[in-house]
Amino acid sequence: MRNKKNYRNIRTKNYNKKDIIILIIIILITAMGVFLTYSGVTFKEQIASIYHYTIKKNSDYEVLLKPNDFYVTETLPKGGYYASKSIDSYQIDFQYAIDSNEKANFAYEYCVVADLVGTVNDNKNEGKQVWDRPFIIQEKQAKNEENVNEMFIQKQINIDYEGFNNLAREYERTYGITIDAMLQLHFYISYYIQPISSVIETEKMEDIIELNIPITSTITEVQENYSPIEEKDIFPTMTNNIPYQKVVRITLGILFLLGALWMIIVNIIKRRNTTPEEKYRRNINCILKYYGDLIVTVTNEPNISNLQVMKIADLNDLIDVAEQNQSNIIHYEAEKGKSSRLYVIIETYVYIYEVTEKKL
């Protein structure tokens, strides 16, 4: 007896074989499209850096006190909380350094700007800005350094805390409102780098060290709003700043994705537009292909008037009957292009299975 497993699930084996192949192709095309698009978008990260450097920022300071009988020193160190009325001024030392193992030419400029900002709380207890007074603490300074491993900028400034406090209090008295005043200090830096090992010069790079100092609070502090250490890389500059390979990869990736989408749409349309005749022909061809050694096709309908008719609901049951009784299956196309009947005749019984567009 033949192995029945060879004849099980032939719908999956035949009908889905082509679908599985198409699905695999779509998955492969989609994966390739995603890979190419992603590698194109992130292409800069795949290019070897021509210059790596580390940025180090710092803002040391000390608090200069008014004459008083409470402190044993005239200054207080960095990092504490201070009684606002005790402060005369802040002595701040801004430091900005670029370190690298490779030498480069640097061109840079810097300045220090302060903004005295006043806010009030609305009915939702949210701070709303009502005042902003800018001050130039240090005019823009420019400098070049050539063939060095480090660019170092240091600027010491004195912040007249009491003067800013008096100005904020005068604003409150003049307009009859109470504000929360904050002094925002900005140490602006912009620079160009040209590594000695390359003819490439970077575009203008900009950075900032920001400090915030409460003015009208009873207790004040210096709030540092910057990252003390950052790692940076300089990459080769391509034509129009768009690497050729980047464009090619993204373009190919999009084309692959569009191709996968087109295949999906075509298959959906094809499935929806399949006629009943095509479905029937596919079903009967599948049976004839996989059970050809059992089936005999005839052109005239078998005479079963004297036989006991047994209608079979499952094709596999009909196969079992034929194999167990070592009998052939008779195939007759009852309605051309629409339905066929499969017969197994055993003594006085005839077993019939009908094939249509809906049944395999």
Side-chain angles (χ1 to χ4, degrees):
M1 181 177 292
R2 279 177 274 246
N3 188 347
K4 297 178 183 178
K5 292 183 179 179
N6 293 332
Y7 303 115
R8 300 297 180 182
N9 302 319
I10 65 170
R11 182 184 298 275
T12 300
K13 291 181 179 179
N14 189 63
Y15 288 7
N16 292 346
K17 184 176 180 180
K18 183 178 179 181
D19 295 337
I20 291 173
I21 293 174
I22 293 174
L23 178 61
I24 291 173
I25 293 173
I26 291 174
I27 291 173
L28 291 176
I29 292 175
T30 303
M32 182 62 69
V34 172
F35 170 76
L36 288 172
T37 303
Y38 177 78
S39 64
V41 171
T42 60
F43 184 75
K44 183 177 180 179
E45 299 176 6
Q46 302 168 17
I47 303 175
S49 167
I50 61 172
Y51 189 79
H52 176 82
Y53 61 97
T54 303
I55 297 174
K56 299 178 181 178
K57 307 176 191 178
N58 193 28
S59 54
D60 284 329
Y61 64 87
E62 61 179 0
V63 181
L64 282 62
L65 301 175
K66 299 176 185 177
N68 66 86
D69 297 326
F70 304 99
Y71 295 94
V72 296
T73 60
E74 295 180 352
T75 64
L76 294 177
K78 174 182 178 178
Y81 291 86
Y82 316 100
S84 298
K85 291 185 178 181
S86 70
I87 301 173
D88 178 71
S89 62
Y90 281 93
Q91 191 73 36
I92 300 176
D93 182 15
F94 287 112
Q95 297 176 21
Y96 188 91
I98 292 179
D99 293 324
S100 176
N101 293 329
E102 301 180 47
K103 291 186 177 182
N105 298 326
F106 296 92
Y108 61 88
E109 55 187 23
Y110 64 90
C111 64
V112 182
V113 177
D115 286 287
L116 186 57
V117 178
T119 60
V120 296
N121 290 333
D122 59 11
N123 53 11
K124 296 181 180 179
N125 202 32
E126 296 179 354
K128 302 296 183 181
Q129 182 175 314
V130 295
W131 182 38
D132 182 2
R133 172 75 181 274
F135 299 87
I136 297 177
I137 308 299
Q138 169 64 58
E139 295 284 353
K140 186 176 292 186
Q141 300 287 318
K143 189 176 180 181
N144 295 329
E145 294 186 24
E146 297 183 353
N147 199 25
V148 294
N149 295 89
E150 179 185 79
M151 181 188 84
F152 182 73
I153 307 171
Q154 183 175 25
K155 181 61 185 177
Q156 294 182 343
I157 61 170
N158 184 274
I159 297 298
D160 183 5
Y161 184 86
E162 185 177 17
F164 285 112
N165 187 288
N166 292 337
L167 183 60
R169 298 302 181 186
E170 183 63 27
Y171 181 91
E172 290 180 322
R173 288 191 294 270
T174 300
Y175 295 107
I177 59 175
T178 301
I179 62 172
D180 292 324
M182 178 76 72
L183 186 67
Q184 299 176 347
L185 282 174
H186 301 100
F187 182 56
Y188 291 109
I189 310 100
S190 61
Y191 58 89
Y192 297 89
I193 301 177
Q194 183 177 23
I196 298 298
S197 60
S198 173
V199 297
I200 296 175
E201 181 180 84
T202 64
E203 297 181 354
K204 185 177 182 180
M205 313 291 284
E206 296 181 341
D207 209 344
I208 184 174
I209 298 176
E210 180 179 317
L211 301 178
N212 295 324
I213 305 175
I215 296 295
T216 53
S217 303
T218 56
I219 300 296
T220 189
E221 61 175 321
V222 176
Q223 302 166 0
E224 298 179 341
N225 187 22
Y226 62 89
S227 299
I229 298 179
E230 296 180 24
E231 301 289 335
K232 298 282 188 179
D233 286 282
I234 297 175
F235 295 92
T237 303
M238 302 297 182
T239 306
N240 297 325
N241 297 321
I242 303 177
Y244 173 75
Q245 293 189 45
K246 184 183 184 80
V247 174
V248 171
R249 293 186 185 198
I250 293 176
T251 302
L252 288 176
I254 293 174
L255 290 176
F256 271 92
L257 292 174
L258 290 176
L261 180 61
W262 176 81
M263 290 183 67
I264 292 172
I265 293 173
V266 167
N267 276 275
I268 291 174
I269 294 174
K270 185 176 179 180
R271 284 180 175 276
R272 288 183 175 180
N273 294 337
T274 302
T275 64
E277 290 78 7
E278 289 174 333
K279 292 179 181 179
Y280 158 73
R281 184 53 56 191
R282 185 170 58 188
N283 287 347
I284 192 62
N285 287 342
C286 174
I287 295 171
L288 294 176
K289 175 181 177 181
Y290 280 90
Y291 303 110
D293 57 344
L294 281 176
I295 296 174
V296 176
T297 300
V298 298
T299 57
N300 58 308
E301 184 175 5
N303 184 1
I304 58 173
S305 57
N306 296 324
L307 300 176
Q308 181 70 38
V309 176
M310 307 293 289
K311 292 190 176 180
I312 303 297
D314 190 316
L315 175 63
N316 288 311
D317 292 336
L318 187 72
I319 300 301
D320 289 341
V321 171
E323 289 182 334
Q324 291 170 5
N325 292 276
Q326 297 183 350
S327 177
N328 288 112
I329 298 173
I330 300 172
H331 164 232
Y332 171 71
E333 189 170 33
E335 190 174 0
K336 188 172 180 61
K338 292 186 178 181
S339 68
S340 287
R341 296 192 190 99
L342 301 178
Y343 303 85
V344 174
I345 299 174
I346 308 297
E347 296 180 353
T348 61
Y349 292 90
V350 58
Y351 299 87
I352 303 175
Y353 178 81
E354 187 171 3
V355 180
T356 65
E357 77 276 4
K358 296 180 180 180
K359 288 181 63 178
L360 181 67

